[in-house]
Amino acid sequence: MNQGAELNVTEASSINEQEMMQYIADKTKASQANISLVLKHEQAYINKAHENVKGEVDIDGDDLADYILSRKDVKLDELTVEGILDAEMDYLMEKGHAGYVD
């Protein structure tokens, strides 16, 4: 993820979770359990963020990674967490669900 990049994520209701998990696993070689753990904490972080008038949430990637790494049940290194988040973002961008804010 770009240092200090902000993400713009739209409603995720039409995302194929199984396909996304497989995509992330293929790109990162992380286990399904680790991917699920990172995505669970990411969702909690996003749920606390405020939506703009378009219903979108802007997330600072560095803040998100720091938040996930600070969770007691996360025993992963920063590179692994960022790899999972980057792969997820790649998937979401390919599917038109997210993009980077300039």
Side-chain angles (χ1 to χ4, degrees):
M1 185 174 303
N2 297 344
Q3 291 293 80
E6 287 193 4
L7 312 177
N8 181 279
V9 181
T10 57
E11 184 59 43
S13 60
S14 61
I15 295 172
N16 181 331
E17 296 278 337
Q18 294 280 38
E19 181 182 83
M20 184 175 71
M21 293 284 283
Q22 189 59 54
Y23 180 93
I24 295 169
D26 290 346
K27 285 193 94 171
T28 66
K29 307 303 179 215
S31 71
Q32 293 283 333
N34 285 338
I35 295 167
S36 292
L37 181 63
V38 168
L39 297 182
K40 176 186 83 165
H41 287 301
E42 176 193 34
Q43 191 60 52
Y45 183 88
I46 290 171
N47 288 344
K48 293 178 186 175
H50 298 287
E51 291 182 356
N52 65 20
V53 292
K54 296 182 204 170
E56 300 168 336
V57 177
D58 292 329
I59 301 293
D60 180 280
D62 292 334
D63 290 344
L64 173 59
D66 290 343
Y67 171 83
I68 292 168
L69 288 165
S70 73
R71 304 298 90 188
K72 290 180 182 181
D73 59 341
V74 175
K75 307 293 185 216
L76 303 169
D77 60 70
E78 185 174 358
L79 218 51
T80 301
V81 169
E82 288 181 353
I84 291 169
L85 294 173
D86 286 345
E88 178 197 27
M89 189 63 179
D90 291 346
Y91 175 85
L92 293 173
M93 287 174 54
E94 283 179 19
K95 299 297 181 178
H97 294 292
Y100 287 103
V101 176
D102 293 326

